Amino acid sequence: MLQFTKTKAFRISAVVTLLVALYALAGFVAVPRILRSTLMKEIPKTLGVTPAVGEIRFNPFLFQLEIKDFSLAAPDGGKLLGFGRLFVDFELSSIWHRAYSFAAIDIGSPRVNAVVARDGRLNLLQLSPKAAPAKPKEKNEPLPAIRIGSFKVSQGLVTYADQSRPSEFEARLEPINFELLNFSTGVEGGRFTFTGSSKLGERVEWHGHLSVQPLESDGEFQIDGLRAHTIWEYLEDRLNFLVNSGTIDLNATYKFSLRDAVDLQATVAKIAVNDLTVRPRQSANESAIDWITLPSLLVSGTTVDLLKRQAHVESLSLTGVKLVTWLEPDGSFNLLKLAQSPAAAATPLGSAAPPAPATPTLTATPAPAAAPWTFDLHEFALNEASISAEDRSTSPAVKVLLAPLSLKAADVSLDLSKPITMSLDTHINGAGSLSVNGAVTPQPLSADVALKLDGIELNTVQPYIAQHTSMTLLGGRLSGDAKVRYGAKKPVVQFAGNISVAGLRTVDNALHDAFINWDRLDLSGVKFQHDPDELDIDQVTARKLYARVIIEPDTSLNVKRVLAGPGATVVAPAGPGGVPVAVTAPAAPKPVPGRHARNKSVRTAAAAPTPAGPPPMPMAIKKIVLHASQAHFTDLSVQPNFSAGIQSIEGTVLGLSSKANSRAKVDIHGAVDAFSPVSITGEVNVLGPALYTDLALSFRNMELSTFNPYSGKFAGYNITKGKLTTELHYKVDGRKLDAQHHITVDQLEFGDKTASKDAVSLPIKLAVALLKDRHGVIDLDIPVNGTLDDPTFRLGPIIWKVFVNILEKAVTAPFALLGALFGGGPDLQFVDFSPGTADLDAAAADKGRAMVKALTERPQIKIEVPIAWVSDLDRPALVEAHFAAQVREVQSAKTGKSGKKSAASAPEFEQMDPAAKVELLTPIYVKDVGGEPKYPEAVTSIKTKPELAAAKAAFLSQALHEHIVITDSDLTALGQRRAMAIQQALLTGTQVDPARVFLVVNDKAKSQDGRVRLEMSLK
């Protein structure tokens, strides 16, 4: 044995054993101690942090290193990072592989504790090495050759806390697992897998291939169940909204390389967001509701090429989105508040933010412009969405619900010149629907779309109507279909389609009664274009149209009051007590003055004088059709109020056009109160530059008792009976009016007298009696001419004035009227008599016959014949007649005694010689005076016989004339004879009722050209 120890083999074996022992001792014992010592000394010196190391093991034979419970702590004691176990298995094959070869590198339970302090510094930055002299870097220095069979990280933990924020944020990601297999720093690289999850079930998985020379990687990246609230928690201090729910899933593949430039190609198979809700930060005046609800968002088929600067999304779909939005009284949208920072949202409206500090202007050399990114989205889909919108600038707020709403768009890209194909379908407030299909080009903006509306309830816009009118829109449904084009090419706007409104119901707020209603209004074949402007409509059809027209107490129209806005006052129709009631339409709440109101006031104040407008828009309406329509007219300016309705209106208007020479044909028929037909026919041009009308209006068989309010006010009597028929013709050409009014009144009878202060001061009943014929008909023609350019020209007042003039002429010159109608001339009321006589001459007889005809044709008038005389004419005439009678009596007596010729054949007294006169007059004188004549000396002194006889005859004649006395009874009897002569002429052989001829004692007699003229009067 001793001999063996002295052998060379033994000594070599001993040395080898000793070296192995020493190697083992150094590896198993010294290396861990040296490594511990080095870590504990160099780390604080280099990094300034405090290390902690547990058990260190090293196997020098297997080249395996194991370190347990290693950690680094900041000077303040805070943990930075560490691990539970590090195992490194180095292989001796590195020698022939000429690369650092590791069979395995395992890190168990690694921990990273990242904390952002209040000053914004990241605690992990303390691990940065202290400054050391920079070593010159060799160009293109290759990476050392490394081979790793397996690199694993298991059960890792990463915690993150941010204390620099107003509200601290903390997050944990565990367990984290990572595995890299068969990795080398050569081209072949290696496969890796990375997984991480959180306690909330959020999971990250990343696996693929990695090479570092060149730096390249490709693989698949997947995120499952990432809580949107987690992201929000980190950003909440910068956000003005809350995200309480929602998950994000992502699945993508990528290729990355870093050679001459960064090249990244990513394909995102899916991005899914589920059950996301967004609401504003809670404030005192906001309810805790979600403003945005997103049940499902799915992005698929996304590709990104960083080098080519291209991005493509095959599909983006959102399902079940719910938006709650409104317009604030100040004109802002609530959803825009979500995009504000919390500080900006908290700034009161109108307060200015502090000015930003001045930033020095830096001049830099502009970098070469990179190629622009290209992006396109093949398909966008919004399905089963719901948008609840309100306009709170009105009171009450306008509320619109768009649900379910679907929107599809295709071929969306950053190239704004490319058209986008889109379609939209939605229901509105649960009833109506809207559909839009077509193409839209963002820049320059153009659109070519098809619209379809069906049953959209119009009462939604009532709050807007209430702000500007005194009308309430109770109902109405808008429908239609159209094609709309908009673009830079003229015409800028084109519209072609059909529009209908069904079930329109409006109410006058002041009177609480219907204003304008219809069952259906159809506009067919509507064609409109703008720039240049033009409107063409094939047909307008109104079914059961109803319009209420009211003349207010101030004689204005109700349309003016209704459109004047809330607060207008009107006197409502009188109730049963006959007392009118003042009613004021409720005033609409004033909107809060916001930005729009302020801008409007500024624009109004600064408005410049309006320049001359463009030429009128060409318009044409080929056909207007009315079915079963009606209009109601009420006049509140008279008491009691007047009301009438035109019913069963049917008709057409053909060919309305703004062309100067066009003529539209009008044919409209209806009835007033069901039994009085109305017709309007003719031609018009109301759209052209020059107004033209040639219309005939006919109203037949209208009950005049309906017009009692007007009769009582203007005539002073109520109407108990009567029918009215009118034939009106209006022609306007060149602004000149030629109006013909043929008015027929049948069986007009007045009733009680009214106390109207506006009644005409005329004997209205007499006027009517004069105008009525024997059949009880009044037939009038009232022409009116004028120019519409005269500001004082008003057709209604002129017609009334002409009518009053007719009445005035009738009652002030009734016989002139009758004379013109039935003969006898303008002096039909005058009958002339010779003084002292009651005989009618031929002229008087002719007038009598004309008067009989007038009385026959005007059976309601009565005539008064005067018992009258003219004393200055009739008294001398009666004296002469009495004298002549005495002379004839004496002549008759003498003729009878002598048996000669009768007195009728005796010579006239004036033709007798003086002696015969004396002989004839002497017995008369003796009889009347009572004695022989006593001639005066002037007579008896005449010597010549002829002269003496003449003087005696003159004396006797004068004495007898002076002795004759005509009494008032004689004159009265003369007047009676005259009146009876006229009466006989009117009644004898005629059909005139004697009860209508009155003999009246009056003084209606005068001297006219030496004759006595009697003047008859009518009642």
Side-chain angles (χ1 to χ4, degrees):
M1 185 70 178
L2 183 61
Q3 188 67 29
F4 175 74
T5 57
K6 294 179 179 181
T7 64
K8 185 178 181 179
F10 174 78
R11 289 195 298 269
I12 293 173
S13 299
V15 171
V16 170
T17 302
L18 178 61
L19 291 175
V20 171
L22 291 174
Y23 175 76
L25 180 62
F28 284 109
V29 178
V31 169
R33 292 184 179 183
I34 294 172
L35 182 57
R36 180 188 297 276
S37 176
T38 301
L39 291 175
M40 300 301 291
K41 291 180 180 180
E42 293 300 323
I43 289 178
K45 186 186 301 184
T46 305
L47 301 179
V49 296
T50 303
V53 182
E55 182 181 4
I56 299 177
R57 292 181 181 179
F58 179 72
N59 188 330
F61 301 105
L62 299 178
F63 288 91
Q64 294 178 344
L65 174 67
E66 183 180 18
I67 302 175
K68 293 184 177 180
D69 301 326
F70 174 83
S71 65
L72 296 178
D76 60 1
K79 299 293 185 180
L80 297 177
L81 55 79
F83 51 79
R85 176 178 179 268
L86 171 63
F87 175 77
V88 180
D89 186 0
F90 185 76
E91 292 184 327
L92 290 176
S93 61
S94 301
I95 299 174
W96 56 85
H97 284 151
R98 295 184 180 181
Y100 299 105
S101 298
F102 298 88
I105 299 176
D106 294 340
I107 301 176
S109 302
R111 302 180 304 278
V112 177
N113 182 29
V115 177
V116 178
R118 296 190 181 278
D119 59 2
R121 290 179 59 84
L122 179 64
N123 65 335
L124 296 180
L125 294 178
Q126 300 178 61
L127 299 177
S128 300
K130 295 181 179 180
K135 295 181 179 180
K137 183 178 180 182
E138 297 183 8
K139 295 183 178 179
N140 298 325
E141 180 179 353
L143 292 174
I146 300 174
R147 296 172 62 91
I148 302 175
S150 172
F151 179 84
K152 289 184 180 180
V153 176
S154 58
Q155 300 299 314
L157 168 65
V158 175
T159 62
Y160 176 81
D162 190 345
Q163 301 172 354
S164 64
R165 299 150 39 89
S167 56
E168 293 188 6
F169 172 79
E170 293 184 357
R172 295 170 61 93
L173 183 61
E174 63 175 334
I176 297 174
N177 298 295
F178 177 79
E179 183 176 12
L180 179 64
L181 300 175
N182 300 320
F183 172 78
S184 71
T185 55
V187 177
E188 62 274 14
R191 304 294 301 177
F192 68 89
T193 298
F194 172 87
T195 61
S197 61
S198 70
K199 291 183 177 180
L200 299 176
E202 301 163 310
R203 178 175 174 81
V204 179
E205 183 175 343
W206 182 12
H207 55 84
H209 174 268
L210 173 66
S211 67
V212 295
Q213 193 172 0
L215 183 57
E216 291 181 342
S217 178
D218 62 85
E220 182 177 353
F221 186 81
Q222 183 172 335
I223 299 176
D224 294 324
L226 176 61
R227 299 295 182 94
H229 184 73
T230 302
I231 301 174
W232 174 85
E233 280 185 320
Y234 180 70
L235 300 174
E236 65 172 312
D237 295 321
R238 305 176 190 177
L239 303 177
N240 195 37
F241 56 85
L242 305 178
V243 176
N244 292 326
S245 65
T247 60
I248 302 172
D249 298 327
L250 183 147
N251 193 338
T253 61
Y254 70 93
K255 286 185 178 181
F256 170 81
S257 68
L258 179 59
R259 295 186 179 184
D260 296 334
V262 177
D263 185 8
L264 172 63
Q265 296 178 8
T267 300
V268 182
K270 180 186 75 171
I271 300 176
V273 179
N274 298 306
D275 301 324
L276 178 69
T277 61
V278 178
R279 66 175 57 182
R281 289 183 179 273
Q282 188 66 31
S283 61
N285 60 348
E286 292 175 340
S287 59
I289 61 173
D290 295 325
W291 287 5
I292 301 175
T293 302
L294 180 57
S296 174
L297 179 149
L298 179 62
V299 182
S300 59
T302 302
T303 60
V304 178
D305 192 322
L306 184 63
L307 195 60
K308 294 181 180 180
R309 303 177 70 85
Q310 294 177 348
H312 167 79
V313 177
E314 183 64 24
S315 173
L316 169 60
S317 65
L318 297 87
T319 303
V321 174
K322 294 183 180 179
L323 298 180
V324 178
T325 181
W326 60 80
L327 178 68
E328 298 284 5
D330 61 2
S332 63
F333 280 99
N334 67 315
L335 292 181
L336 294 180
K337 295 179 181 179
L338 301 180
Q340 297 176 347
S341 65
T347 302
L349 184 64
S351 63
T359 302
T361 302
L362 300 178
T363 304
T365 303
W373 273 89
T374 62
F375 169 82
D376 66 279
L377 170 61
H378 179 65
E379 181 180 357
F380 171 83
L382 177 66
N383 301 312
E384 300 178 8
S386 171
I387 300 177
S388 176
E390 296 183 18
D391 184 353
R392 297 183 178 180
S393 64
T394 66
S395 181
V398 176
K399 298 182 179 181
V400 177
L401 176 63
L402 304 178
L405 181 147
S406 67
L407 173 64
K408 298 183 184 300
D411 303 325
V412 181
S413 72
L414 292 179
D415 185 354
L416 301 182
S417 63
K418 291 185 177 180
I420 300 172
T421 303
M422 55 85 67
S423 65
L424 181 146
D425 291 284
T426 183
H427 282 73
I428 301 176
N429 289 340
S433 63
L434 169 65
S435 176
V436 182
N437 295 278
V440 177
T441 302
Q443 189 175 2
L445 181 61
S446 65
D448 191 352
V449 298
L451 304 177
K452 185 174 182 180
L453 306 92
D454 186 16
I456 297 177
E457 293 289 348
L458 295 178
N459 55 3
T460 303
V461 301
Q462 170 56 31
Y464 297 126
I465 296 175
Q467 287 184 351
H468 304 287
T469 71
S470 297
M471 175 182 71
T472 297
L473 177 59
L474 297 180
R477 299 179 302 279
L478 175 65
S479 301
D481 59 271
K483 291 185 177 180
V484 180
R485 189 198 69 81
Y486 173 84
K489 182 180 177 181
K490 293 189 176 183
V492 175
V493 177
Q494 285 183 304
F495 176 97
N498 307 297
I499 302 172
S500 68
V501 177
L504 185 77
R505 298 292 182 269
T506 64
V507 168
D508 185 327
N509 293 345
L511 302 179
H512 304 288
D513 206 346
F515 180 52
I516 296 176
N517 300 334
W518 63 66
D519 271 14
R520 189 175 181 87
L521 179 67
D522 293 301
L523 282 71
S524 304
V526 179
K527 297 178 182 178
F528 169 78
Q529 68 177 39
H530 171 62
D531 193 16
D533 295 348
E534 186 175 345
L535 175 63
D536 187 273
I537 302 175
D538 286 342
Q539 181 167 319
V540 177
T541 304
R543 292 176 174 82
K544 294 188 178 180
L545 172 65
Y546 171 86
R548 183 178 179 89
V549 180
I550 300 175
I551 297 180
E552 307 284 7
D554 61 356
T555 70
S556 64
L557 288 177
N558 64 323
V559 177
K560 178 180 178 182
R561 172 183 53 76
V562 170
L563 299 182
T569 302
V570 63
V571 177
V579 180
V581 181
V583 178
T584 301
K590 294 182 178 180
V592 177
R595 176 190 53 185
H596 299 291
R598 291 194 297 271
N599 291 345
K600 182 177 179 181
S601 63
V602 172
R603 288 195 301 269
T604 303
T610 304
M617 176 175 64
M619 300 175 63
I621 304 175
K622 293 182 177 63
K623 187 175 184 180
I624 298 177
V625 181
L626 298 176
H627 289 307
S629 298
Q630 58 179 314
H632 193 271
F633 174 79
T634 300
D635 191 345
L636 304 181
S637 66
V638 296
Q639 291 294 334
N641 303 144
F642 170 78
S643 291
I646 301 179
Q647 304 170 0
S648 304
I649 300 176
E650 302 276 346
T652 59
V653 179
L654 303 177
L656 274 175
S657 174
S658 58
K659 293 182 180 179
N661 297 323
S662 67
R663 299 291 183 263
K665 298 186 180 299
V666 180
D667 186 4
I668 299 175
H669 302 273
V672 176
D673 296 329
F675 301 107
S676 303
V678 177
S679 69
I680 303 174
T681 59
E683 296 181 342
V684 298
N685 184 346
V686 295
L687 301 179
L691 177 65
Y692 175 86
T693 64
D694 189 358
L695 287 178
L697 291 78
S698 174
F699 298 83
R700 297 184 177 277
N701 197 40
M702 295 184 1
E703 292 291 343
L704 280 174
S705 56
T706 306
F707 298 90
N708 259 339
Y710 295 112
S711 173
K713 179 176 181 178
F714 298 112
Y717 291 91
N718 289 324
I719 296 175
T720 59
K721 178 183 177 183
K723 299 274 190 179
L724 173 66
T725 296
T726 62
E727 300 287 344
L728 313 178
H729 185 266
Y730 293 98
K731 186 170 184 179
V732 177
D733 193 0
R735 306 290 294 172
K736 292 183 179 180
L737 171 67
D738 179 13
Q740 304 295 326
H741 306 84
H742 183 199
I743 302 173
T744 303
V745 180
D746 189 13
Q747 307 303 322
L748 173 62
E749 292 186 8
F750 287 111
D752 298 333
K753 185 176 180 63
T754 65
S756 173
K757 296 180 180 180
D758 298 318
V760 293
S761 57
L762 296 172
I764 196 68
K765 287 188 175 182
L766 172 61
V768 170
L770 289 169
L771 296 175
K772 275 186 179 181
D773 64 14
R774 61 179 174 176
H775 303 294
V777 176
I778 299 175
D779 196 311
L780 297 176
D781 286 304
I782 304 178
V784 175
N785 297 293
T787 174
L788 301 183
D789 293 325
D790 184 357
T792 63
F793 181 82
R794 297 291 185 274
L795 183 60
I798 288 177
I799 295 174
W800 173 245
K801 184 177 181 180
V802 171
F803 180 70
V804 171
N805 288 340
I806 292 174
L807 295 181
E808 287 180 347
K809 289 181 180 179
V811 298
T812 55
F815 287 97
L817 174 64
L818 297 177
L821 293 174
F822 309 111
D827 297 331
L828 183 61
Q829 73 271 36
F830 298 120
V831 179
D832 294 338
F833 289 91
S834 296
T837 67
D839 298 328
L840 296 175
D841 59 13
D846 291 340
K847 287 186 177 182
R849 286 189 289 273
M851 196 67 232
V852 169
K853 186 176 181 181
L855 291 173
T856 303
E857 294 297 326
R858 298 292 185 266
Q860 287 193 334
I861 62 174
K862 299 175 182 180
I863 190 169
E864 293 183 350
V865 180
I867 300 175
W869 59 90
V870 177
S871 180
D872 293 342
L873 295 178
D874 286 325
R875 194 179 296 275
L878 288 176
V879 171
E880 187 65 35
H882 186 71
F883 174 77
Q886 289 178 324
V887 170
R888 286 193 297 274
E889 182 181 355
V890 173
Q891 287 179 329
S892 298
K894 287 185 177 183
T895 301
K897 291 180 179 181
S898 62
K900 297 180 179 178
K901 298 178 181 179
S902 65
S905 61
E908 292 292 337
F909 178 76
E910 297 297 334
Q911 297 176 353
M912 297 174 66
D913 59 56
K917 290 181 179 180
V918 172
E919 181 182 1
L920 185 61
L921 296 177
T922 298
I924 299 174
Y925 183 89
V926 172
K927 180 180 179 181
D928 290 346
V929 177
E932 291 293 330
K934 295 181 179 181
Y935 298 106
E937 184 178 356
V939 175
T940 57
S941 62
I942 298 175
K943 301 300 183 181
T944 59
K945 196 172 185 177
E947 287 79 0
L948 178 62
K952 287 183 178 181
F955 170 78
L956 291 174
S957 177
Q958 180 179 356
L960 289 175
H961 278 84
E962 292 176 351
H963 192 266
I964 296 173
V965 177
I966 301 302
T967 64
D968 290 342
S969 297
D970 296 330
L971 294 174
T972 300
L974 176 61
Q976 290 175 341
R977 291 196 301 274
R978 288 172 173 170
M980 292 177 65
I982 296 174
Q983 184 185 45
Q984 289 295 325
L986 296 177
L987 298 179
T988 302
T990 70
Q991 296 179 355
V992 177
D993 186 355
R996 296 170 59 199
V997 181
F998 294 86
L999 304 184
V1000 182
V1001 179
N1002 58 32
D1003 59 353
K1004 289 190 175 183
K1006 64 179 181 178
S1007 174
Q1008 182 71 31
D1009 298 329
R1011 294 167 64 84
V1012 176
R1013 171 166 286 183
L1014 300 187
E1015 181 180 0
M1016 296 180 288
S1017 58
L1018 298 175
K1019 296 295 183 181

